[in-house]
Structure formats: C-alpha cells, structure tokens
Amino acid sequence: MDRDFARPLDVPALARVALMSPAHFSRQFRATFGETPHRYLQRRRIERACAMLRDSDATVTEIGLAVGFDSLGTFSRTFSALIGRSPTVYRAQAVPLQAPVCFVKSWTRPAGAAGSRD
C-alpha cells in the first residue's frame, strides 16, 4: 500500500495478496495499524499530496490524480477532512521545509490512528 498508493487498491485485492478473506484482512489490518485499510490508504495519499503541494508547481487537480484520486472533488473533500483546510489553502500557507525527508514526513503526517476521524 505504501509503494503503490497511487494505484487503484481495494480490500479484496489486498486480502488476496495477504492470503486472507477480505473481512479477516480488514479486521487484522485495523487491529495491527489502528485504522481501516481504506483510511490508511487515504492518509498515505494525502501525505504525498501535501509534499507535492509544498514542493511542486503542479496544479491541485494534477496532484489529486497523481496520488490516486479519481476526481478533484473527492481529493479536495478527503484532503480537507484530514488536514482541516483545502489543498489550495494548504499550498498558500505551506512553506518548503529544509530538513531531512524523514523529519518532514513525521512533522507533516496527517492524523493517524490516535487522531483518526474514521
């Protein structure tokens, strides 16, 4: 999921890779990671979108499509729900962070299991 976050992924396909039924995979994933597979994938996509909004000149639509969303509306709605502001506002307020990538990812990660709104 981390490597192929931009591809269309669904629970039945992920469960097949894990050699589990979809229901069992979802239960085990949530027990292990503290959030549903769908929420984890959304958060990963939004995390990458944040980096692209900070560090590239691509349009919001291009970024939404590049990280795996089918439409600008779905991307914007999901982004706003997780980040608390629209992608356009985020970009206007964001500044490139001059630090190692591992620190930037930690500092800018959307709320996960502890702060999940799932």
Side-chain angles (χ1 to χ4, degrees):
M1 289 175 76
D2 286 331
R3 183 186 65 229
D4 294 329
F5 65 88
R7 291 184 40 215
L9 298 173
D10 60 12
V11 170
L14 294 168
R16 279 192 299 280
V17 171
L19 303 175
M20 298 179 187
S21 72
H24 186 65
F25 174 79
S26 291
R27 283 191 303 272
Q28 290 300 112
F29 191 97
R30 186 174 191 123
T32 303
F33 295 103
E35 60 190 341
T36 65
H38 178 71
R39 176 57 93 188
Y40 180 88
L41 182 59
Q42 282 184 325
R43 192 172 49 77
R44 180 66 186 99
R45 287 174 172 170
I46 296 302
E47 182 180 282
R48 180 66 185 128
C50 286
M52 292 176 74
L53 287 164
R54 278 192 316 274
D55 303 330
S56 80
D57 292 328
T59 67
V60 171
T61 301
E62 290 168 341
I63 291 171
L65 295 174
V67 299
F69 287 92
D70 292 332
S71 71
L72 175 60
T74 302
F75 170 61
S76 293
R77 188 171 44 255
T78 304
F79 191 98
S80 296
L82 289 175
I83 302 300
R85 52 197 153 161
S86 72
T88 303
V89 170
Y90 178 87
R91 172 177 265 169
Q93 295 173 344
V95 293
L97 301 172
Q98 302 302 318
V101 172
C102 58
F103 287 107
V104 173
K105 283 185 177 183
S106 175
W107 296 336
T108 60
R109 180 165 288 128
S116 179
R117 297 178 188 121
D118 194 23

